[in-house]
Amino acid sequence: MRKNKFMIYRNLIMVFILVGVLVWFETISWAEPLESLIPKRDLPKEWTLIHGPQAYNKKSLFEHINGQAELFLKYGFQKSVFAIYQSKKSREDQIELDIYDMGNVVQAFGVFSRFRNEDRPGGFGLDSFLDDHTALFYKGRYFVMFYATESNPDLLAQFSKLVLSKISDSSSPPKEIRYFPKNGLKSGSIQYFPEGLLGHQFLKRGFQGTYVDGEKESHLFLSIFKDSQEAMNALKFYQDDLSKKGKVSSGSLIEFGTRALKGEDPYQGKVMALQKGFYLLGAVGFEKEEDVVNLLKEFIEKVK
């Protein structure tokens, strides 16, 4: 009898250990060593690696990018690696490479969205930016930055594709990006904020996109909460905030069939906010209600 109980307990312990190992393996199996992502061979002709790979963690990141380290940490920075390439023809012609492990694809997109200052896609990664001296992109949990001392966008694209070929993380772009209606959306304007969306701490983390109508710009936003109750609480906070600083309209948006708020913020203009599940979505800065109602209808239909 005791032997049977012992066998049962032993088997249970083995099952728990196996499950734990599988969960652990699942979380790290696609996170390759950062140093392995630095191209060292098969480089573009006449180029060589002269410095690195040099690794940084949460404590040492300030030694590398003191002015921007705080931003990366807010977005979930895990670790990074840095390298410098040099042309064999000219010592002054150099390219710097930074690869940041941001923990997941949402946070990698987020920091990419903050560094991209206009829409100039390079055609690599899940999304990218390319100009004469800079190449930026993200793929999976990684955000990658190249900077060239001399103008050479074609070479930057070559280096970018070398790094991409080494990244195995096949995560899709954040699903929330697809929820934003395309009509009127300013290309490359969607951003992700890990906290304080629209400058409101009660909105926490989420996405915003810029919409253009002539010379007038407005924004749609999508705030993410842990559950529907927290989203409803945030809507109440938003109402209280508008009551104190601006005004709340008495009319309701019954055509959306959900909890909703209308009002005016003294700094951001007219506001509409609606709750759907664990999301709070809406619009700010628009001139006429009818201009934004159709966008919000499409927006709320897409949100899953």
Side-chain angles (χ1 to χ4, degrees):
M1 187 73 177
R2 288 182 179 178
K3 185 177 181 180
N4 289 338
K5 286 185 177 179
F6 173 78
M7 293 294 291
I8 292 171
Y9 291 147
R10 189 187 70 172
N11 290 339
L12 283 173
I13 291 171
M14 292 299 293
V15 168
F16 287 138
I17 292 173
L18 179 60
V19 170
V21 169
L22 288 173
V23 170
W24 174 79
F25 183 77
E26 178 70 18
T27 60
I28 67 164
S29 60
W30 43 263
E32 48 269 280
L34 271 186
E35 288 82 358
S36 71
L37 303 183
I38 297 291
K40 299 170 186 173
R41 299 184 179 87
D42 301 321
L43 300 176
K45 190 177 180 181
E46 304 296 338
W47 282 84
T48 185
L49 177 67
I50 64 166
H51 175 79
Q54 184 172 351
Y56 296 92
N57 57 32
K58 293 179 182 179
K59 290 184 178 179
S60 60
L61 183 62
F62 289 90
E63 301 169 9
H64 180 47
I65 52 166
N66 183 39
Q68 297 172 332
E70 194 63 43
L71 176 69
F72 278 90
L73 290 172
K74 283 183 179 180
Y75 275 91
F77 170 85
Q78 302 297 304
K79 52 192 173 180
S80 69
V81 66
F82 172 69
I84 301 176
Y85 299 89
Q86 185 181 77
S87 170
K88 295 177 182 178
K89 295 180 179 180
S90 172
R91 296 178 63 183
E92 287 72 33
D93 193 0
Q94 296 184 352
I95 292 178
E96 296 182 357
L97 165 62
D98 283 286
I99 303 176
Y100 297 90
D101 179 351
M102 299 305 300
N104 60 53
V105 69
V106 174
Q107 292 167 173
F109 166 77
V111 75
F112 165 77
S113 73
R114 297 295 299 275
F115 276 89
R116 171 184 56 186
N117 53 20
E118 60 180 308
D119 187 44
R120 297 188 63 171
F124 40 82
L126 294 179
D127 202 352
S128 58
F129 171 89
L130 179 66
D131 66 13
D132 291 342
H133 293 271
T134 309
L136 313 172
F137 71 87
Y138 81 101
K139 183 182 180 185
R141 61 192 290 155
Y142 303 107
F143 169 60
V144 181
M145 300 180 68
F146 282 96
Y147 173 74
T149 56
E150 304 295 326
S151 173
N152 200 331
D154 290 339
L155 183 64
L156 288 171
Q158 275 186 266
F159 269 105
S160 296
K161 290 171 184 177
L162 279 176
V163 174
L164 274 169
S165 68
K166 296 176 176 293
I167 297 176
S168 62
D169 186 347
S170 58
S171 301
S172 300
K175 62 181 181 180
E176 288 83 2
I177 296 175
R178 303 193 306 269
Y179 297 162
F180 284 79
K182 289 185 170 51
N183 185 31
L185 177 64
K186 184 178 180 181
S187 186
S189 71
I190 296 178
Q191 294 180 304
Y192 171 76
F193 294 85
E195 61 182 14
L197 183 63
L198 296 181
H200 299 303
Q201 288 304 312
F202 55 81
L203 288 181
K204 298 190 176 181
R205 68 186 185 98
F207 297 78
Q208 73 176 50
T210 302
Y211 286 77
V212 180
D213 183 7
E215 296 182 357
K216 177 68 176 176
E217 289 189 351
S218 59
H219 301 280
L220 293 190
F221 67 90
L222 183 71
S223 188
I224 308 167
F225 301 91
K226 65 180 181 181
D227 53 40
S228 58
Q229 184 60 55
E230 191 176 55
M232 285 190 285
N233 292 341
L235 188 64
K236 181 64 168 61
F237 278 123
Y238 209 164
Q239 181 176 335
D240 293 342
D241 186 69
L242 286 178
S243 297
K244 294 173 184 176
K245 300 176 182 177
K247 67 177 183 179
V248 175
S249 302
S250 57
S252 63
L253 299 175
I254 56 174
E255 64 265 37
F256 291 105
T258 185
R259 296 175 183 270
L261 167 70
K262 286 197 299 184
E264 192 162 343
D265 183 281
Y267 304 105
Q268 296 175 328
K270 293 182 179 180
V271 175
M272 286 188 190
L274 311 100
Q275 180 248 329
K276 181 175 181 180
F278 56 84
Y279 291 113
L280 201 64
L281 58 101
V284 296
F286 54 92
E287 289 187 336
K288 299 177 181 178
E289 185 174 314
E290 56 267 27
D291 293 339
V292 78
V293 164
N294 288 333
L295 274 179
L296 284 177
K297 283 181 178 178
E298 183 180 349
F299 200 10
I300 202 168
E301 286 173 2
K302 287 185 173 183
V303 171
K304 306 295 184 184

